Amino acid sequence: MSDGREGTAGPLSVAPEPVAGHGLLTGRKAVVTAAAGTGIGSATARRLLSEGADVVVSDWHERRLGETRTALAEEFPERTIGAVVCDVQSTEQVDALITGAAAELGRIDILVNNAGLGGETPVVDMDDAQWDRVLDITLNGTFRCTRAALRYFRQAGHGGVIVNNASVLGWRAQYGQAHYAAAKAGVMALTRCSAVEAAELGVRINAVSPSIARHAFLDKTSSSELLDRLSEREAFGRAAEPWEVAATIAMLASDYTSYLTGEVVSVSSQRA
C-alpha cells in the first residue's frame, strides 16, 4: 500500500524536451550569476538567450565560465554574450560585475541571482566556517548583487527586474540542511522586503523556489541516494530539469508578470 509520498508514474514522469523560445525578452539585457556548468544558472542564461535577450554570465570559476560562454556563443551566434568572473562574497567584485555588464551590454534590464552553496551537515556537527560560508554565498551574495543592481537601476532610471533563486527548503525541513534552509529563507525575506523598496524605482523583484533540479554539480555535492529518494517523492516521480526552473525565471523576468513583485513562486511538483 502506498504511503502517499511516492511519485506518480505517467506521461510527466519523463522529462519533456525544452520548450522553444517565444521572444518574451527580445531586446532585453540580462546578468546571470553562478552561470557556469550544467545547473540552473547556465540553463537560465540559455533560456534568456532563446527568448531574445543579450546576456552577461558570471561565476567565480574562470575556466568553467569561459567554457560556458563559448558553448552559449556557438548556440546563439546572433546574441551578445559576455562573461565576467565574480565571487559574490566580494562587494568589490559584485559592483564591478554590474558596472562591467552595463558597459558591455549598454544597459541592464534583468538580474538573476542564482549563486548559492549547499551542503549536508547536521547542526550538532556543523562548525562556524561551514555555516558562515553557506550563508555568505547564498544569502549575503544575493544581498550584495541586489544592492548593486538597485543602485544601478536608481541611477539609470529605466526600471528593471530581479529574480532570485530560493528553495522549498526555505519553507520545509530537511535533515542536515539547516544552514542552506536558513539562507534560502533569508533570500525569500530579502525578496519580499527589497521588492517593497524597489517599487518606487520601477523595479520588480521576485523569486523562484525549486524543490529539486537534478544536474551534474548537484550530484557532486549531495549523495545520489538522497537525491534519488527526494526525486522519487516528487509528484511526477522525478526531479525537475534545470531548464524547467529556468523557464519560470524567464517568465518572471518578462512583461507577462508586470504586476507581480515580492512573490516567491514554487517550481515544485512536491506534495505538501
Side-chain angles (χ1 to χ4, degrees):
M1 180 178 292
S2 171
D3 63 1
R5 295 180 300 169
E6 294 83 358
T8 301
L12 292 176
S13 64
V14 177
E17 291 297 316
V19 177
H22 289 77
L24 299 183
L25 302 172
T26 299
R28 305 293 173 85
K29 314 294 182 180
V31 178
V32 182
T33 68
T38 60
I40 293 173
S42 60
T44 297
R46 179 171 288 103
R47 170 54 54 181
L48 301 186
L49 288 162
S50 72
E51 297 293 351
D54 294 322
V55 176
V56 165
V57 292
S58 175
D59 207 292
W60 68 272
H61 196 291
E62 185 172 4
R63 178 184 58 78
R64 287 204 304 261
L65 180 64
E67 291 171 352
T68 298
R69 184 200 174 281
T70 298
L72 291 173
E74 291 175 352
E75 188 174 351
F76 301 95
E78 74 285 2
R79 304 258 66 86
T80 298
I81 305 171
V84 177
V85 175
C86 177
D87 181 351
V88 298
Q89 295 182 98
S90 166
T91 294
E92 291 74 17
Q93 291 188 38
V94 167
D95 291 346
L97 166 62
I98 298 301
T99 301
E104 180 159 3
L105 298 175
R107 59 185 280 159
I108 298 173
D109 302 298
I110 300 161
L111 167 66
V112 178
N113 281 317
N114 176 65
L117 178 69
E120 188 178 354
T121 307
V123 170
V124 69
D125 296 321
M126 191 180 300
D127 59 35
D128 286 0
Q130 289 172 301
W131 175 270
D132 290 345
R133 180 166 169 77
V134 169
L135 268 289
D136 196 34
I137 292 174
T138 307
L139 177 56
N140 296 348
T142 300
F143 158 71
R144 293 184 188 103
C145 292
T146 297
R147 177 180 60 188
L150 288 178
R151 288 174 175 173
Y152 165 79
F153 288 135
R154 180 173 62 184
Q155 182 177 14
H158 56 58
V161 179
I162 298 174
V163 184
N164 298 324
N165 191 0
S167 167
V168 293
L169 292 188
W171 292 313
R172 301 168 182 166
Q174 184 174 309
Y175 185 91
Q177 297 291 322
H179 47 358
Y180 185 70
K184 289 300 189 180
V187 169
M188 292 177 177
L190 174 63
T191 298
R192 291 189 288 267
C193 292
S194 59
V196 172
E197 299 171 2
E200 64 187 31
L201 304 177
V203 175
R204 298 188 298 107
I205 304 178
N206 293 292
V208 295
S209 179
S211 53
I212 179 171
R214 201 84 179 255
H215 53 85
F217 182 74
L218 185 62
D219 284 332
K220 290 181 179 179
T221 58
S222 300
S223 68
S224 58
E225 293 81 5
L226 172 63
L227 296 177
D228 289 343
R229 185 167 67 251
L230 293 174
S231 299
E232 289 167 359
R233 290 186 176 185
E234 292 290 309
F236 300 148
R238 65 173 177 88
E241 295 294 310
W243 76 263
E244 292 177 297
V245 180
T248 303
I249 291 173
M251 178 192 71
L252 291 174
S254 77
D255 292 339
Y256 278 99
T257 54
S258 59
Y259 197 68
L260 194 68
T261 197
E263 296 294 339
V264 179
V265 177
S266 179
V267 186
S268 171
S269 66
Q270 196 168 38
R271 295 171 178 174

